[in-house]
Amino acid sequence: MTQPLPGSIDETAGLLARADYVAERGLATAVFLALRMGRPLFLEGEAGVGKTEMAKVLAQTLGRRLVRLQCYEGLDIASAVYEWNYTRQMIEIRLAEAEGIKSREGLSQDIFSERFLIRRPLLQALEGDLGAAPVLLIDELDRTDEPFEAYLLEVLSDFQVTIPEIGTIKAQQPPIVVITSNRTREIHDAVKRRCLYHWVDYPNAERELDILKRKVPGAPERLSREVVAFVQRLRAMDLFKLPGVAETIDWSKALVSLDQVTLDPRLVEDTLGALLKYQDDIARVKGSEAARILSEVKAEVG
Ligand SMILES: Nc1ncnc2c1ncn2[C@@H]1O[C@H](COP(=O)(O)OP(=O)(O)OP(=O)(O)O)[C@@H](O)[C@H]1O
Ligand SMILES: [Mg+2]
């Protein structure tokens, strides 16, 4: 069922927390304002910090449908907006031929009607559902190329698309838009200008512990504290790829699966692959470095 939009920043944080999303004040503020002002929310940040999850949680807690557009290099209008169903059009033409229908005019009007339209995510989001606009997630926008970005700019300005054979389709109610980027390249200023922007950072220790308690409730308290302290220290290192929240959750789940209640050097070494995904990083941390971090962690948590 559709829920009303939150009326304050605190209410926004509460709404997210109900779906186990732990947001810092700045993020809750950006979300609140985006919803209140009807502006797209632009979330940029490292991998695994909860950018995509935000759209899922908003759809879930506000009782909206989630429409997801996954971006990639070469994404075009046929995959993002709409496409004609050529196969069905061909069949229709053959049937018309077989029945001896001669009017070309009538036939072409018929095969370019909505019946033969395949709706892709952007069009689905504009057409919406009865009553409530969906949440539109445009995920990893930095992976598309600039022509698509320019097109998207148009869509986000007017919340409408034009299909030459049919006409202009305009959203009755603009969707709630969440755009994410990993910043593999800069997104054009014109797109950003239309959005409320927020850089999603790694959580501090307190918030990360809160996330772990919600996402891995079976983990012993002491283990969770050690995991968080360890990961927070890793993030201060100069590694090729720092672990995100997703990795912290994965590591905890792995340790729980191994029935562990506390970290030890051997265990850390054997399970580092849940946390670090590059051999160079693993090689740097393994052995004496891991042991050093672990002794600091034990001193802190102990
Ligand atoms: N603040 C948070 N509160 C609760 N869970 C979180 C939070 N941040 C991240 N997570 C969890 O971490 C995992 C990864 O999050 P998500 O997929 O949204 O990351 P992302 O920022 O989109 O990463 P990528 O850039 O790799 O796509 C999810 O399982 C999500 O539940
Ligand atoms: Mg993501």
Side-chain angles (χ1 to χ4, degrees):
M1 213 185 59
T2 313
Q3 301 296 322
L5 299 181
S8 66
I9 299 169
D10 288 336
E11 252 183 72
T12 309
L15 185 83
L16 298 172
R18 250 177 282 146
D20 290 328
Y21 191 104
V22 187
E24 42 100 13
R25 183 90 184 161
L27 179 56
T29 306
V31 173
F32 168 68
L33 288 176
L35 294 174
R36 168 61 60 97
M37 298 162 71
R39 296 272 287 275
L41 178 65
F42 194 114
L43 299 179
E44 214 167 40
E46 304 292 342
V49 291
K51 303 183 298 296
T52 303
E53 179 84 354
M54 175 59 81
K56 295 182 186 169
V57 162
L58 282 179
Q60 184 194 331
T61 54
L62 296 174
R64 313 293 182 104
R65 184 161 63 100
L66 178 69
V67 179
R68 180 175 186 162
L69 177 64
Q70 174 64 53
C71 298
Y72 52 86
E73 210 183 315
L75 176 65
D76 59 1
I77 293 182
S79 311
V81 193
Y82 74 93
E83 188 173 22
W84 290 107
N85 189 336
Y86 295 118
T87 320
R88 279 198 58 196
Q89 285 176 324
M90 287 309 296
I91 294 171
E92 191 73 9
I93 293 169
R94 288 284 148 76
L95 287 174
E97 277 170 3
E99 286 169 11
I101 297 169
K102 291 269 154 56
S103 159
R104 273 176 66 182
E105 185 74 359
L107 183 60
S108 84
Q109 252 184 23
D110 191 39
I111 61 172
F112 287 110
S113 62
E114 297 208 10
R115 226 158 34 101
F116 295 93
L117 198 61
I118 303 175
R119 292 164 168 77
R120 301 295 188 202
L122 282 183
L123 186 57
Q124 287 173 20
L126 293 184
E127 288 192 324
D129 301 325
L130 286 176
V135 172
L136 170 63
L137 166 63
I138 301 172
D139 213 10
E140 308 186 346
L141 181 60
D142 50 330
R143 293 198 194 192
T144 58
D145 19 54
E146 297 194 357
F148 185 78
E149 222 182 286
Y151 180 81
L152 192 64
L153 189 62
E154 265 181 61
V155 176
L156 293 182
S157 305
D158 307 327
F159 290 109
Q160 66 178 35
V161 297
T162 300
I163 301 173
E165 298 86 348
I166 293 182
T168 299
I169 297 176
K170 188 169 171 62
Q172 300 273 334
Q173 236 191 331
I176 296 169
V177 183
V178 178
I179 302 175
T180 81
S181 163
N182 282 58
R183 207 159 70 165
T184 55
R185 69 172 175 86
E186 284 298 335
I187 301 300
H188 206 276
D189 282 348
V191 173
K192 285 189 178 167
R193 202 178 311 128
R194 275 171 182 72
C195 305
L196 283 169
Y197 174 88
H198 187 81
W199 173 263
V200 188
D201 223 331
Y202 296 116
N204 61 19
E206 185 193 351
R207 216 148 39 83
E208 194 156 30
L209 192 62
D210 191 0
I211 296 171
L212 267 196
K213 280 184 180 158
R214 291 163 183 271
K215 294 287 164 84
V216 197
E221 167 88 19
R222 185 192 165 85
L223 183 67
S224 296
R225 287 185 179 280
E226 289 180 352
V227 162
V228 168
F230 195 95
V231 172
Q232 293 271 333
R233 279 178 170 72
L234 277 189
R235 291 202 190 115
M237 288 180 68
D238 181 26
L239 297 174
F240 180 67
K241 196 86 194 54
L242 297 177
V245 179
E247 282 71 30
T248 313
I249 294 174
D250 270 356
W251 195 33
S252 293
K253 285 184 176 163
L255 297 169
V256 169
S257 302
L258 295 170
D259 291 326
Q260 300 299 319
V261 292
T262 181
L263 293 178
D264 65 60
R266 174 78 200 276
L267 181 65
V268 170
E269 197 143 330
D270 290 347
T271 53
L272 264 185
L275 217 46
L276 300 172
K277 308 293 164 115
Y278 286 86
Q279 171 53 19
D280 288 353
D281 287 346
I282 293 178
R284 266 202 64 188
V285 172
K286 233 178 166 168
S288 60
E289 190 61 16
R292 187 188 62 78
I293 298 173
L294 193 56
S295 66
E296 279 180 28
V297 165
K298 294 284 181 188
E300 182 188 315
V301 174

